[in-house]
Amino acid sequence: MSFQRTTEQPSHYRHLEKMSVQDILSNINQEDKTVPQAVEKALPQIENLVTVIADKMLAGGRLFYMGAGTSGRLGIVDASECPPTFGVPFGLVIGLIAGGDAAIRKAVEFAEDDTQQGWKDLLAHNISEKDVVVGIAASGTTPYVIGALNQCREAGIVTGSICCNAGAPLSAAADYPIEVVVGPEFVTGSTRMKSGTAQKLVLNMISTAVMIQLGRVEDNKMVNMQLTNDKLVDRGVRMLMGQLNLSDYEQAKALLLKAGSVKKAMEDYR
């Protein structure tokens, strides 16, 4: 079967400009409801990738996300949230985007069309066989990402991918491909919508499941989270009070701030 970009097929809806605001929102919502079902179908693929990432990271490797546009930005969001949420070092999960950091805020023309730059970006981070590289592209055709994954394969580096078209070239370039087929977008071709939502859901699953496997969560608590603002300090204090059966808020707060994390505070108290 020839490759078809279902993400680029015409919307199921016509004359959007004639819809009321209520109808626009209702129809977008109807489309969004289909995304978790598409993700569910890809759970076995997601499991395979999570397992290999966890194994590599337990052995001292890193996780790289690569993408262009919305896909690249979503990878950067997921990577940047791992240190504050799970207390891991910056640089353990790294997000790369075509066009560099400037492309996070503003599109960089033609950056995604460079088949060599992705590999150069990985080399700048001293990529090695210990690491895993996950390419993200809604269409599954982005040259920046595919070029990098092809080079990774030649170098013996494990790769995964996340895309929203079945049988995509990106999937062929990856050792552990994930395809979440969400179908046409509400606005034809606007893959920041359902495709972006699907990618975000999958990235949430990957990073959260991997970090649990790495021991960064206990029970259902973020015991290693960084205490970077008053809200998180308060959350940590209440978490500590519950875990240690403490009734004195200030005592728990003093323990937490001295230790620097809920996990360390629990260990020190015991």
Side-chain angles (χ1 to χ4, degrees):
M1 184 178 67
S2 61
F3 170 60
Q4 294 183 338
R5 298 192 195 190
T6 56
T7 54
E8 300 294 328
Q9 290 181 354
S11 170
H12 297 308
Y13 305 84
R14 297 292 306 277
H15 305 299
L16 307 187
E17 74 281 3
K18 296 180 180 179
M19 290 182 182
S20 67
V21 171
Q22 181 181 14
D23 286 343
I24 291 171
L25 299 179
S26 177
N27 290 330
I28 291 174
N29 183 241
Q30 287 301 312
E31 289 297 307
D32 286 345
K33 287 177 182 178
T34 68
V35 176
Q37 296 171 343
V39 172
E40 183 178 13
K41 293 177 182 177
L43 285 177
Q45 297 174 333
I46 300 170
E47 180 183 0
N48 290 338
L49 181 56
V50 165
T51 300
V52 73
I53 292 172
D55 288 345
K56 283 286 188 177
M57 295 186 82
L58 284 168
R62 298 167 294 171
L63 170 60
F64 287 82
Y65 294 132
M66 300 190 72
T70 297
S71 298
R73 295 181 190 103
L74 288 170
I76 289 170
V77 167
D78 199 70
S80 65
E81 290 176 346
C82 286
T85 304
F86 302 108
V88 297
F90 287 96
L92 186 66
V93 183
I94 299 169
L96 300 176
I97 185 170
D101 288 351
I104 297 172
R105 293 181 177 274
K106 184 178 180 180
V108 177
E109 291 184 3
F110 303 111
E112 70 176 63
D113 297 327
D114 190 330
T115 60
Q116 301 301 313
Q117 188 60 48
W119 179 243
K120 292 176 184 177
D121 290 346
L122 289 170
L123 289 177
H125 289 271
N126 298 312
I127 190 75
S128 77
E129 293 180 16
K130 295 193 301 182
D131 304 319
V132 179
V133 177
V134 177
I136 313 168
S139 67
T141 61
T142 305
Y144 171 84
V145 181
I146 294 174
L149 263 59
N150 285 333
Q151 293 273 18
C152 285
R153 178 169 284 173
E154 292 181 11
I157 298 166
V158 172
T159 58
S161 64
I162 306 169
C163 75
C164 296
N165 285 319
L170 178 62
S171 299
D175 300 316
Y176 296 90
I178 297 169
E179 294 181 339
V180 183
V181 183
V182 297
E185 298 286 357
F186 178 71
V187 176
T188 299
S190 182
T191 52
R192 70 184 182 85
M193 301 186 76
K194 288 193 300 181
S195 297
T197 300
Q199 291 170 330
K200 175 59 175 168
L201 291 176
V202 173
L203 289 167
N204 285 348
M205 289 178 168
I206 290 173
S207 57
T208 303
V210 166
M211 291 299 156
I212 291 172
Q213 294 300 302
L214 296 184
R216 309 306 297 182
V217 173
E218 292 185 9
D219 188 16
N220 56 11
K221 304 293 193 302
M222 296 184 291
V223 295
N224 289 287
M225 67 181 180
Q226 294 180 350
L227 308 174
T228 54
N229 57 49
D230 290 341
K231 178 190 73 175
L232 294 179
V233 170
D234 180 68
R235 181 186 297 169
V237 170
R238 296 183 186 283
M239 196 184 304
L240 196 59
M241 291 174 70
Q243 294 294 107
L244 299 179
N245 294 317
L246 297 175
S247 58
D248 188 326
Y249 184 94
E250 293 303 323
Q251 178 193 7
K253 184 175 181 179
L255 284 170
L256 178 66
L257 294 178
K258 180 180 179 181
S261 73
V262 174
K263 183 178 179 67
K264 184 71 164 50
M266 291 191 296
E267 292 172 348
D268 292 347
Y269 186 81
R270 290 166 177 163

